[in-house]
């Protein structure tokens, strides 16, 4: 009898990879995932290796590192990363790991440096990653050129910075070109972060994204947000009312005159852009629906621009209005813990206390983020129960969640297949 089994190898997650792939192959379409996908440490490790270390991730905004030597850091699981503006004006990305003995180089979330200097033994790197100094004790034959920082993939478009830890990440250029086009009216080279927040949610990252991808819960959970936000964001939504469709037609005519892109654009199930009106009589996501910033973004002439909604899986959703924008980044911290970072953007010349009040600007999304945190955490607590089993999604209200879970399942299976060990014949 001849059986097939994985060849011996050193991957401690080999069994978990096999179990994950088999579970996804057998999963019931349009249902939530089996319990381990939301709380198991081994499945989380597979997520990190096969999704967060291989896909393109939203990392931050180019306006956060505007000049030579400005840097920002973030952690992709156990992988600390640096993004730095180089002497050439380009954004460079590196593993935040010294090539001497592995210490982190940059210890703060943001800063400005002339060179990248390791705080442990002062090995010094150029902003393009080249090792410049390692001290005289390494010997006269030591080759500086062999110990530059290890780079990561970086692409920028429309003021966004995307990174991938993969040597061969998936194609993203078509989405980036469209993102650049849709954000042209905002002049993203001339924006700044007015205020930001980070909250830790005791929930798996997929629950955070699932919660965002539907507004089924909005009526019962988000009174502040629904002062301005429509529950649906395009006329293809099966719940869209005739009044909403009429409002969309009127606003689209206005946006056309202003040469502002509004058409719904999809790039598979991973990326999506669409401009949709806010509730009639409101122009911004504020408690009173009025503009939060008196200086409009870019070349826009009216605050009444609705919301340009931008989705990028696995870790970002965004709202661009006429007066300000709100961008969101999700990063996993553990099987049942995630951090959600929110940044409010305004025109770089807007003056705090004159053109905008940051506390007023952030109130709606501070409330909404906290409400969503509670929902995701209660979702996690229920899923941890022995009573949990996958439940059905609503095709009417939760089609966005279905798309996300389908994308996740497809990408994870594809990446696992690429990483699968060879098979060997075993006689027995």
């Amino acid at each position: 009898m001849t059986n097939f089994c994985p060849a011996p190898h050193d991957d401690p997650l080999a069994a978990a990879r096999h179990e994950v792939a088999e579970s996804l192959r057998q999963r019931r379409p349009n249902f939530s995932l089996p319990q381990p996908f939301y709380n198991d440490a081994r499945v989380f490790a597979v997520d990190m290796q096969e999704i967060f270390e291989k896909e393109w991730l939203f990392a931050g905004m180019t306006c956060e590192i505007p000049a030579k030597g400005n840097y920002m850091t973030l952690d992709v699981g156990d992988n600390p990363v640096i993004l730095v503006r180089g002497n050439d004006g380009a954004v460079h990305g590196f593993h935040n790991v010294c090539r001497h003995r592995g210490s982190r180089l940059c210890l703060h979330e943001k800063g400005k440096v002339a060179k990248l200097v390791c705080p442990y033994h002062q090995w010094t790197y150029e902003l393009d990653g080249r090792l410049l100094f390692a001290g005289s004790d390494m010997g006269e034959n030591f080759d500086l050129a062999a110990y530059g920082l290890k780079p990561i993939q970086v692409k920028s478009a429309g003021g966004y910075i995307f990174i991938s830890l993969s040597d061969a990440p998936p194609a993203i250029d078509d989405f980036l070109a469209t993102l650049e086009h849709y954000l042209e009216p905002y002049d993203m080279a001339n924006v700044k972060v007015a205020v930001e927040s980070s909250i830790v949610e005791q929930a798996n990252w997929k629950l955070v994204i699932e919660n965002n991808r539907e507004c089924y819960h909005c009526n019962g959970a988000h009174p502040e947000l629904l002062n301005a936000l429509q529950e649906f964001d395009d006329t293809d939504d099966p719940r869209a009312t005739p009044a909403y469709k009429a409002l969309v037609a009127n606003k689209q005519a206005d946006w056309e005159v202003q040469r502002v892109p509004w058409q719904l654009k999809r790039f598979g199930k991973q990326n999506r852009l669409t401009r949709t009106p806010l509730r009639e009589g409101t122009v911004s996501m504020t408690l009173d629906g009025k503009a939060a910033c008196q200086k409009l973004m870019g070349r826009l002439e009216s605050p009444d621009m609705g919301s340009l909604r931008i989705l990028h899986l696995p870790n970002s959703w965004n709202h661009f209005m006429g007066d300000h924008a709100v961008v969101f980044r999700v990063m996993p911290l553990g099987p049942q813990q995630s951090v959600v970072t929110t940044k409010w953007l305004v025109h770089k010349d807007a003056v705090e206390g004159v053109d905008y009040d940051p506390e007023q600007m952030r109130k709606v999304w501070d409330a909404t983020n906290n409400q969503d945190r509670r929902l995701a955490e209660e979702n996690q607590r229920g899923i941890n129960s022995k009573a949990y089993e996958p439940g059905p999604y609503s095709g009417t209200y939760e089609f966005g969640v279905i798309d996300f879970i389908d994308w996740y399942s497809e990408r994870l299976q594809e990446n696992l297949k690429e990483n699968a060990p060879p098979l060997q014949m075993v006689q027995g």
Side-chain angles (χ1 to χ4, degrees):
M1 177 180 176
T2 301
N3 296 319
F4 288 89
C5 68
H9 54 86
D10 297 326
D11 184 357
L13 289 177
R17 293 175 193 280
H18 175 75
E19 292 165 12
V20 165
E22 185 62 19
S23 183
L24 290 175
R25 189 182 68 79
Q26 296 183 16
R27 80 179 181 93
R28 191 172 179 181
N30 299 350
F31 272 63
S32 59
L33 294 166
Q35 185 183 61
F37 284 87
Y38 298 113
N39 65 6
D40 185 87
R42 296 186 310 150
V43 176
F44 176 76
V46 172
D47 273 3
M48 294 310 298
Q49 290 187 3
E50 302 300 332
I51 296 292
F52 279 83
E53 292 182 19
K54 290 189 175 180
E55 300 298 323
W56 286 102
L57 308 176
F58 166 55
M61 308 301 295
T62 55
C63 68
E64 297 179 81
I65 47 174
K68 179 179 72 174
N70 283 133
Y71 72 85
M72 70 173 75
T73 64
L74 69 154
D75 293 329
V76 182
D78 292 330
N79 300 286
V81 167
I82 311 168
L83 296 168
V84 62
R85 183 78 67 172
N87 294 315
D88 56 358
V91 177
H92 301 277
F94 306 101
H95 288 277
N96 189 7
V97 178
C98 182
R99 294 296 307 281
H100 177 209
R101 285 170 52 188
S103 175
R104 286 195 306 158
L105 289 166
C106 296
L107 310 183
H108 304 289
E109 289 186 10
K110 295 177 184 177
K112 186 169 185 178
V113 293
K115 309 293 180 188
L116 297 166
V117 181
C118 179
Y120 201 178
H121 300 97
Q122 285 69 58
W123 279 33
T124 303
Y125 301 84
E126 187 52 271
L127 301 179
D128 61 9
R130 290 177 295 129
L131 180 61
L132 300 176
F133 172 79
S136 58
D137 295 334
M138 299 307 296
E140 60 183 22
N141 295 323
F142 181 71
D143 184 6
L144 292 172
Y147 292 92
L149 295 178
K150 292 187 177 181
I152 63 170
Q153 302 277 341
V154 178
K155 286 182 180 286
S156 299
Y160 281 72
I161 304 172
F162 297 92
I163 63 171
S164 177
L165 304 191
S166 171
D167 292 332
I172 195 175
D173 288 350
D174 287 348
F175 166 64
L176 296 185
T178 302
L179 182 66
E180 186 81 33
H181 173 60
Y182 270 60
L183 290 175
E184 175 275 325
Y186 296 86
D187 188 14
M188 295 300 288
N190 288 299
V191 302
K192 66 181 178 181
V193 176
V195 63
E196 70 177 272
S197 73
S198 287
I199 61 171
V200 174
E201 302 188 10
Q202 304 303 321
N204 183 272
W205 70 274
K206 292 186 289 294
L207 295 180
V208 177
I209 299 296
E210 285 189 41
N211 177 74
N212 170 260
R213 297 318 306 142
E214 50 91 356
C215 214
Y216 195 7
H217 68 278
C218 288
N219 264 327
H222 297 320
E224 298 86 357
L225 184 62
L226 291 186
N227 283 338
L229 186 72
Q230 301 273 4
E231 289 187 61
F232 25 80
D233 62 5
D234 69 73
T235 53
D236 291 340
D237 191 310
R239 300 167 299 139
T241 64
Y244 171 73
K245 293 179 180 180
L247 178 62
V248 168
N250 289 335
K251 296 300 183 184
Q252 287 174 351
D254 292 341
W255 300 333
E256 199 71 46
V257 170
Q258 297 178 64
R259 296 178 293 110
V260 173
W262 52 265
Q263 293 86 350
L264 171 63
K265 297 287 185 181
R266 289 190 177 96
F267 296 83
K269 296 173 182 176
Q270 181 177 24
N271 295 301
R272 183 175 182 276
L273 305 92
T274 188
R275 185 182 301 279
T276 188
L278 297 174
R279 289 188 180 274
E280 198 156 16
T282 68
V283 299
S284 194
M285 292 181 189
T286 55
L287 286 176
D288 61 7
K290 297 178 181 178
C293 184
Q294 299 310 305
K295 189 168 185 61
L296 302 183
M297 300 187 77
R299 63 172 176 81
L300 300 176
E301 298 176 357
S302 167
D304 191 8
M305 304 307 300
S307 170
L308 171 60
R309 301 188 186 187
I310 303 168
L311 170 69
H312 174 71
L313 298 177
N315 78 321
S316 182
W317 64 88
N318 310 263
H319 292 277
F320 276 75
M321 294 152 283
D323 65 317
H324 77 285
V326 194
V327 302
F328 302 84
R329 184 186 72 197
V330 178
M331 296 300 291
L333 299 179
Q336 300 182 47
Q337 191 176 71
S338 310
V339 59
V340 177
T341 299
T342 307
K343 299 175 184 180
W344 288 258
L345 310 178
V346 297
H347 193 290
K348 75 171 186 180
D349 294 334
V351 178
E352 181 178 339
V354 176
D355 295 306
Y356 68 94
D357 176 351
E359 293 305 314
Q360 292 296 114
M361 179 179 290
R362 64 186 291 175
K363 275 186 177 179
V364 165
W365 274 107
D366 275 350
T368 303
N369 284 341
N370 194 45
Q371 292 153 359
D372 282 334
R373 176 189 60 78
R374 291 198 301 269
L375 292 170
E377 291 179 349
E378 291 304 326
N379 197 181
Q380 182 72 66
R381 290 186 180 103
I383 283 174
N384 289 343
S385 167
K386 67 179 183 179
Y388 170 78
E389 62 181 56
Y393 295 125
S394 164
T396 302
Y397 284 90
E398 296 171 305
F399 55 88
V401 185
I402 293 170
D403 282 351
F404 163 57
I405 294 299
D406 285 349
W407 174 83
Y408 164 79
S409 300
E410 291 161 8
R411 289 305 301 154
L412 190 50
Q413 289 181 89
E414 187 64 30
N415 289 342
L416 284 168
K417 189 183 303 180
E418 293 174 359
N419 199 46
L423 296 177
Q424 68 175 8
M425 292 176 58
V426 177
Q427 301 296 325

